[in-house]
Amino acid sequence: MSPDGATPLLVQAVRHALDPVASPAPPLATADVDDLLAAAARHRVEPVLASAADTLGLDDAARAELAAARTGAQHGALAMAATAVQCSAALRRAGLRSLVYKGVPLALRTTGDPAGRGTGDVDLLVHPDDTVAAYQVLLDLGARYVMSFAPPPGTGLWPATRFIVPELPFFHHGIGIDLHWR
């Protein structure tokens, strides 16, 4: 089966994992399992499938692979959540309101599992007028700004950049943080 051919199978398996009463488990041939696991890894939904490994009829090796991926995702989600709490607290102490969205909060909301969407980075949303102050708070926290497509506040291009670019990227103890203002 091609990687694209595994997508409908993956969709049916994820639907089953999220609501086994409404969505029957897909019929899996032995040859489909590797493609299903590869598609789950590509779309970062292994933890969701791990919760339904028994009802999907997966063999011990596939269950072990999903369980290991779920454990890794849970550790990553915990690190993301800790970073989000630390950043939010620092912003709050500075008198800035922020919202942590996407990532772990979205995974909890949509799957009930903080690792349900895989881990990527911490997304912080602040008011556009608070962007420069939030940038400084993150630097003071020890986060490292990652020069990318967005020059940082204080540079000559910043006044135009803040209306074109939607985020400033940082790293803090190995965790990516994206500071958003729109």
Side-chain angles (χ1 to χ4, degrees):
M1 177 182 309
S2 72
D4 292 338
T7 301
L9 188 63
L10 177 63
V11 168
Q12 190 175 356
V14 168
R15 283 185 176 150
H16 171 72
L18 294 174
D19 189 356
V21 174
S23 301
L28 291 174
T30 303
D32 295 338
V33 172
D34 288 340
D35 292 328
L36 176 67
L37 295 178
R42 194 170 46 257
H43 293 285
R44 299 186 311 183
V45 294
E46 292 155 305
V48 176
L49 291 188
S51 67
D54 292 339
T55 59
L56 287 170
L58 299 175
D59 63 22
D60 289 342
R63 288 180 194 180
E65 185 175 332
L66 289 174
R70 181 179 192 168
T71 299
Q74 287 171 331
H75 291 172
L78 286 171
M80 294 283 170
T83 298
V85 167
Q86 186 179 25
C87 291
S88 294
L91 291 166
R92 189 173 42 259
R93 284 190 304 273
L96 304 174
R97 294 184 318 159
S98 65
L99 173 69
V100 179
Y101 71 114
K102 300 194 304 186
V104 171
L106 183 59
L108 277 169
R109 182 91 172 143
T110 58
T111 70
D113 182 346
R117 293 186 66 244
T119 55
D121 56 23
V122 173
D123 293 284
L124 297 168
L125 179 65
V126 297
H127 189 279
D129 294 341
D130 293 338
T131 305
V132 174
Y135 169 83
Q136 190 60 52
V137 166
L138 293 176
L139 290 179
D140 293 345
L141 186 63
R144 181 178 49 85
Y145 174 70
V146 180
M147 181 62 85
S148 62
F149 51 85
T155 62
L157 294 174
W158 176 249
T161 300
R162 70 173 271 189
F163 293 103
I164 298 168
V165 177
E167 66 190 30
L168 293 172
F170 294 81
F171 275 108
H172 186 56
H173 300 294
I175 303 292
I177 302 167
D178 287 338
L179 177 62
H180 297 265
W181 54 91
R182 322 185 270 162

